[in-house]
Amino acid sequence: MPEMPEVETVRRTLTPLVAGKTIKKVEVWYDKIIAGDAQAFAQELAGKQILRVDRYGKFLLFRLSDNLTLVSHLRMEGKYRLLAPQAAVGKHDHVQFAFTDGTALRYSDVRKFGRMQLVETGTEREQTGIGKLGVEPNSPEFTRDFLRRALAKKSKKIKNLLLDQSVVCGLGNIYCDEVLWQSRIHPLSQASAIPHEKVAALHDNINQTIALATKLRGTTVHTFLDADGQSGQFQKKLQVYGHAGEPCQRCGTVLEKIKVSGRGTTFCPQCQVLYGEKHKQD
């Protein structure tokens, strides 16, 4: 699933392709991609201009004229690309936005999990899944103290908590494994039991990892491509994700893989400490 660095990379590559363009016609070939009535969605978008493309967490926000925002979640396999509107429609192509300049933005999704929703600008938190998200990494709100106070209230396992997006958003399976390894925290540690100095390390590693992954245009493990059709480069920096059965780069212990919230999770059993009730601080 594209995580925050990948979605930000898509946003950056999409912006010069679509900003300033006016939508002439929208075609929806798979209605379930659209939240609400697909025909009404298409009709309302006709004639609207794309002002810019923003992002929050893993959501893309196409800012439109007439105070409207198209909220798009790529989920597992969603991709955008620019092409000619008359280009042959592939079996995984589901939505097309044809522009008045003779180009078109097409959305494809092998698994059909992605979703689009048209809302009034400024109501995204009330109308969409953005309302359930925590703060973003590298934002003014995401401080060491914020993370310490947030984790102190949670009995969840730390990997589950990072995956559910409610405290800090944008991290998925890949970056959770990486930042927990960097911070020497076992993925099954109880969030509230992690010592303050380890929370501080986790905070800093989240910020640094997301920043570097974004700089390197994301991680391509399977199919991720940006709007220019280019793959990311952060996969060359991965220390644990995808390396189960190999020696830990830090201590040499063989990395293990388990399931956490149904997701494959790779960690070092030697240098990642499992924190529980006996480690809990007042």
Side-chain angles (χ1 to χ4, degrees):
M1 178 183 291
E3 304 178 29
M4 184 172 164
E6 290 76 50
V7 179
E8 175 61 16
T9 300
V10 171
R11 185 198 71 79
R12 293 180 183 183
T13 52
L14 263 180
T15 296
L17 299 180
V18 302
K21 294 189 177 186
T22 298
I23 300 170
K24 180 180 181 180
K25 180 182 179 182
V26 177
E27 294 178 89
V28 180
W29 300 307
Y30 182 68
D31 289 0
K32 291 183 179 180
I33 293 290
I34 311 302
D37 183 83
Q39 184 176 356
F41 172 89
Q43 290 175 345
E44 192 162 6
L45 282 172
K48 301 298 187 290
Q49 183 183 40
I50 299 179
L51 305 178
R52 66 183 188 277
V53 185
D54 292 336
R55 178 198 52 74
Y56 194 87
K58 303 177 187 179
F59 289 81
L60 290 168
L61 300 99
F62 293 80
R63 303 300 190 185
L64 309 169
S65 55
D66 296 339
N67 203 41
L68 290 175
T69 291
L70 170 59
V71 180
S72 171
H73 198 317
L74 303 175
R75 298 287 176 89
M76 296 290 288
E77 299 277 358
K79 294 181 181 67
Y80 284 102
R81 69 190 191 281
L82 197 71
L83 38 60
Q86 65 271 22
V89 179
K91 65 180 293 187
H92 302 304
D93 292 339
H94 305 308
V95 183
Q96 176 168 283
F97 305 86
F99 300 119
T100 56
D101 72 345
T103 63
L105 182 68
R106 192 172 291 182
Y107 176 80
S108 60
D109 191 336
V110 173
R111 301 197 184 189
K112 300 181 178 180
F113 289 164
R115 292 294 178 267
M116 299 180 190
Q117 185 173 353
L118 190 61
V119 301
E120 181 181 348
T121 299
T123 67
E124 298 84 15
R125 284 196 171 274
E126 291 76 34
Q127 301 295 324
T128 75
I130 292 175
K132 299 177 181 178
L133 300 182
V135 301
E136 289 193 319
N138 293 301
S139 67
E141 298 80 14
F142 185 58
T143 63
R144 286 180 172 185
D145 188 57
F146 166 84
L147 186 60
R148 180 186 62 78
R149 287 185 284 107
L151 296 192
K153 303 173 185 177
K154 305 291 185 178
S155 59
K156 272 188 168 185
K157 306 303 183 186
I158 187 61
K159 171 93 184 256
N160 300 54
L161 185 61
L162 293 176
L163 284 174
D164 78 12
Q165 313 292 300
S166 63
V167 172
V168 56
C169 67
L171 283 80
N173 205 39
I174 295 173
Y175 298 115
C176 284
D177 280 5
E178 292 299 305
V179 299
L180 289 172
W181 180 83
Q182 292 162 6
S183 308
R184 299 179 182 243
I185 299 171
H186 193 289
L188 295 179
S189 293
Q190 183 180 321
S192 59
I194 299 172
H196 293 176
E197 67 273 14
K198 289 297 183 180
V199 175
L202 178 60
H203 167 273
D204 295 352
N205 286 322
I206 288 172
N207 278 348
Q208 292 165 13
T209 298
I210 293 297
L212 179 58
T214 302
K215 180 179 179 180
L216 295 178
R217 302 169 65 89
T219 302
T220 297
V221 175
H222 299 296
T223 61
F224 168 71
L225 299 173
D226 64 25
D228 289 331
Q230 301 298 311
S231 59
Q233 296 299 312
F234 190 74
Q235 62 272 17
K236 298 174 183 178
K237 302 288 186 180
L238 297 175
Q239 299 293 318
V240 285
Y241 184 89
H243 292 286
E246 299 175 19
C248 172
Q249 294 297 308
R250 191 163 46 213
C251 72
T253 303
V254 174
L255 298 174
E256 295 183 3
K257 187 173 183 179
I258 58 174
K259 288 279 189 179
V260 179
S261 292
R263 310 298 301 276
T265 298
T266 304
F267 69 101
C268 176
Q270 176 63 34
C271 58
Q272 286 180 251
V273 179
L274 178 62
Y275 295 103
E277 284 296 329
K278 67 177 181 178
H279 297 280
K280 190 171 182 179
Q281 299 188 0
D282 295 331

